Amino acid sequence: MGKIALAVFIAGIFAACTTSRPGSIPNDQLYANNEPSIVKSLFDDKSATISEENIHRILDGSYRLPDSLRVAFVRLESTQSQKRYYGYDEQQLKSRQQYLDLFSGKFKNSPRVKSISVLPDLLVSNTPTFTNIREAAVRTQSDMVVIYTIHSDIYSQYNLFSKTNIKAFATTQLILLDVRTGLVPFTTIVTKDFLDKKNGSDLNETEAAARIKNQAVLFTIDEIGQQVTNFLGRGK
């Protein structure tokens, strides 16, 4: 009888647990409501440049990287950078070309890339948009546009005139814009540090800082180049 009483007691506990409390919603009704699922935007965005229909087509579709690519490069600069480099010196121009050459070399490692060019400033406005860049790429028969921006500076705690060591950072952002589809199949942001001190080849602390910032930028480009190589190697 003891076992029977225990079984009845346990059964009573389970029955109490499954009994709906006043005001609660039974489990079989909790997930079986008849409210319609939200499958499209309910916001009225008058500034949208993509229709609701095309948003669904893009998100539900699949992207395939072309087997052959004619690549064009565009470097974007913030207003602050434009002001800072308004008066270019020889070293700054050489650094800009060095960055472009290093990027180009990374892309040339991919068998997909058949040609590399640079979109001239004459084809790109001072405040370019994706539409402007895409149309400029069409005029040069480019399949893919590499859009990148670079920012580098000295960490504030490493004051140029009170510290022996100078520590710089650089942040490089890069995206790939597919000209045919307008899609952006690849994006990356890389930040790197570099710590060094003035050496015999530096005329002064300012020149040393420029060299150290330049090295930090080269580190970011090197890592991005590896990421791009891996991305372009997919499906090959």
Side-chain angles (χ1 to χ4, degrees):
M1 290 298 292
K3 293 183 179 180
I4 296 176
L6 179 61
V8 172
F9 176 72
I10 293 175
I13 292 178
F14 279 109
C17 291
T18 56
T19 301
S20 298
R21 295 186 302 273
S24 65
I25 302 176
N27 289 337
D28 60 342
Q29 296 182 19
L30 184 61
Y31 302 104
N33 59 64
N34 294 322
E35 296 180 5
S37 299
I38 299 175
V39 296
K40 65 179 182 180
S41 175
L42 302 180
F43 299 97
D44 185 14
D45 187 359
K46 298 185 182 301
S47 63
T49 58
I50 306 176
S51 68
E52 287 297 323
E53 178 185 1
N54 285 337
I55 287 175
H56 283 267
R57 293 180 63 184
I58 291 171
L59 295 181
D60 293 338
S62 60
Y63 173 82
R64 184 179 183 277
L65 189 66
D67 292 330
S68 178
L69 294 173
R70 294 164 293 184
V71 177
F73 282 83
V74 174
R75 173 171 176 166
L76 300 184
E77 291 185 302
S78 64
T79 303
Q80 181 180 3
S81 298
Q82 290 173 352
K83 290 179 179 178
R84 178 180 302 176
Y85 298 121
Y86 180 77
Y88 287 105
D89 61 25
E90 182 180 4
Q91 186 56 47
Q92 288 168 342
L93 291 174
K94 286 182 178 179
S95 295
R96 289 168 61 87
Q97 187 62 48
Q98 184 182 18
Y99 304 154
L100 179 59
D101 291 343
L102 186 55
F103 270 130
S104 298
K106 299 296 184 181
F107 276 81
K108 287 179 181 177
N109 290 333
S110 172
R112 289 184 189 270
V113 178
K114 304 306 178 185
S115 66
I116 291 178
S117 62
V118 179
L119 290 183
D121 293 340
L122 291 175
L123 291 177
V124 182
S125 68
N126 293 331
T127 55
T129 62
F130 279 112
T131 300
N132 173 227
I133 293 175
R134 188 182 180 198
E135 290 180 352
V138 169
R139 294 179 186 277
T140 60
Q141 291 187 305
S142 300
D143 305 296
M144 189 77 70
V145 182
V146 181
I147 306 172
Y148 68 98
T149 181
I150 297 172
H151 173 65
S152 62
D153 211 336
I154 301 297
Y155 281 110
S156 59
Q157 61 266 38
Y158 288 83
N159 188 283
L160 289 180
F161 303 105
S162 63
K163 297 286 186 179
T164 301
N165 291 327
I166 301 173
K167 188 175 184 180
F169 73 91
T171 298
T172 300
Q173 302 184 55
L174 180 142
I175 68 174
L176 299 184
L177 173 64
D178 186 305
V179 177
R180 285 182 174 82
T181 64
L183 296 179
V184 177
F186 177 85
T187 69
T188 186
I189 302 175
V190 174
T191 297
K192 292 290 184 179
D193 299 317
F194 183 63
L195 176 67
D196 202 358
K197 60 182 65 177
K198 181 179 177 295
N199 58 35
S201 64
D202 301 317
L203 296 178
N204 49 46
E205 297 285 344
T206 301
E207 188 170 297
R211 174 181 57 82
I212 294 169
K213 287 194 295 183
N214 183 67
Q215 187 59 56
V217 173
L218 296 179
F219 284 158
T220 65
I221 296 176
D222 189 62
E223 179 170 323
I224 289 176
Q226 185 58 53
Q227 295 179 10
V228 169
T229 298
N230 295 338
F231 174 74
L232 295 180
R234 296 177 183 174
K236 277 290 187 179

